[in-house]
Amino acid sequence: KNLADMTLQLLTIIFVDGLNYAATLFLISIGLTIVYGVLRILNISHGGIYAFGAYLATWLALQLLEAGLPPYLSYLMLLAGGIIIGLLTGPIIERLFLRRIYGRDMHIQLLLTYSILLILDDLMKLIFGMEPLIVSEPYTLLGQFSVAGISYSRYQFFLIAISVLFGGCLIWLVRGTRFGKLVVAVINDREVSLAMGINVNLIFTFAFTLGALAAALGGAFIAPTIAVVPGFALEVVVLSFAVIAIGGMGSLEGAALGALIVGLSRAAAIHLYPEIELVIIYLIMVVVLAIRPEGIFGEEELRRI
């Protein structure tokens, strides 16, 4: 019985930790997926937007707490920080930079978005400094509860709920609205969409801003669980590329499944074989791509001659 209890505890820890990590990855990956699905650009600057959202949200929450206002308002500050960064960076980056390279070679797109990432990184250092920013109140305010004898913060489950809600809203937006149908039309054939009178440039701007909003909100709500320091987003963004490679580039459902696979496998590795924590993720990615190069939910693209 004792062994059974220990096994149940371990499985519970792996499952909950895996879900929590999957929620984090999904919030970042879904933005990457939207941008690639519509614009056909692998947006490395996504990591900078994620980090900027975390920085501004943390700074706003700290200002509120220093002013002596009710700490529960810090959740509004997290939301405001994510929305401000998403709505600012999205249109600026898409209109000033990305619009010039649509249809260009992949290496030009990667170099440009990587350059934007470096610019955002330096801009954050200039504005917020090099010292870590920590705001733990939103994390601790919700309290804790026990699952199978293990104590968890309610904020961890709050993150999972945000991830599910945001993902569900995006899938509804793309699948169940007129705007979603326009987006699908642009994805399938830009030239025909233009001929039909669809404002393709507006769709591109909206899609990139939506992706930026997902990244910034992800950073904002994850911030209370970590110390926000320069360069902290790099590992998570690299893993989010693994998520969309596994799930399928441009697929919202693929981003969800990929995040679950990566989150649960990493949690299992951390608790069972810590030495292969990152290796297992890339091993899964290699196996999936070897069997299905376009990813689990990805679709083969037809090249025009």
Side-chain angles (χ1 to χ4, degrees), residues 2-305:
N2 193 33
L3 180 61
D5 288 345
M6 289 173 62
T7 304
L8 179 62
Q9 273 198 341
L10 181 60
L11 290 175
T12 303
I13 292 170
I14 290 171
F15 181 70
V16 175
D17 287 355
L19 274 185
N20 197 249
Y21 195 62
T24 302
L25 287 174
F26 178 68
L27 284 171
I28 307 167
S29 305
I30 199 165
L32 278 172
T33 294
I34 291 167
V35 171
Y36 181 80
V38 180
L39 280 66
R40 286 297 185 261
I41 285 180
L42 277 174
N43 179 30
I44 297 176
S45 67
H46 204 74
I49 299 169
Y50 165 80
F52 221 141
Y55 261 110
L56 183 62
T58 303
W59 184 82
L60 287 175
L62 288 172
Q63 298 307 305
L64 177 134
L65 293 168
E66 284 177 15
L69 295 171
Y72 279 102
L73 292 177
S74 60
Y75 297 106
L76 288 179
M77 295 299 99
L78 297 181
L79 181 63
I83 290 174
I84 290 168
I85 292 299
L87 296 182
L88 271 180
T89 58
I92 291 172
I93 291 173
E94 194 277 332
R95 291 189 175 222
L96 289 184
F97 300 105
L98 299 186
R99 191 163 288 188
R100 303 170 188 273
I101 61 163
Y102 290 144
R104 303 284 293 276
D105 289 341
M106 182 70 76
H107 66 272
I108 294 175
Q109 298 174 359
L110 292 175
L111 283 172
L112 177 62
T113 55
Y114 182 65
S115 301
I116 295 169
L117 170 65
L118 296 179
I119 292 168
L120 289 174
D121 194 47
D122 281 345
L123 190 59
M124 282 180 276
K125 292 174 186 174
L126 188 66
I127 296 171
F128 301 106
M130 297 294 292
E131 294 298 315
L133 291 183
I134 301 170
V135 59
S136 58
E137 279 78 3
Y139 185 81
T140 56
L141 272 175
L142 294 181
Q144 296 187 328
F145 71 105
S146 182
V147 177
I150 305 152
S151 183
Y152 282 101
S153 168
R154 286 192 174 88
Y155 192 85
Q156 291 175 279
F157 290 85
F158 175 61
L159 265 184
I160 295 170
I162 288 174
S163 178
V164 171
L165 179 64
F166 195 75
C169 288
L170 282 180
I171 290 172
W172 168 79
L173 182 68
V174 173
R175 301 276 189 267
T177 66
R178 181 177 178 276
F179 173 78
K181 290 178 174 62
L182 294 178
V183 169
V184 172
V186 171
I187 291 171
N188 288 329
D189 201 313
R190 296 181 190 182
E191 288 81 6
V192 171
S193 298
L194 278 168
M196 291 173 63
I198 296 173
N199 189 337
V200 172
N201 284 336
L202 183 63
I203 298 289
F204 282 0
T205 302
F206 187 88
F208 190 85
T209 303
L210 200 58
L213 196 60
L217 284 171
F221 283 105
I222 289 157
T225 67
I226 56 173
V228 181
V229 294
F232 82 95
L234 187 59
E235 182 192 339
V236 180
V237 172
V238 170
L239 287 176
S240 68
F241 276 104
V243 165
I244 61 173
I246 292 168
M249 305 287 279
S251 167
L252 299 178
E253 293 85 354
L257 180 61
L260 269 176
I261 291 171
V262 171
L264 291 172
S265 59
R266 189 181 188 195
I270 287 171
H271 292 290
L272 299 174
Y273 303 102
E275 301 83 2
I276 61 167
E277 173 196 345
L278 292 178
V279 175
I280 191 68
I281 294 168
Y282 298 114
L283 185 61
I284 292 170
M285 185 177 73
V286 168
V287 170
V288 169
L289 294 181
I291 298 169
R292 204 175 151 74
E294 62 274 16
I296 296 171
F297 282 105
E299 296 179 358
E300 291 185 23
E301 290 186 30
L302 297 176
R303 283 192 171 185
R304 294 182 184 177
I305 299 174

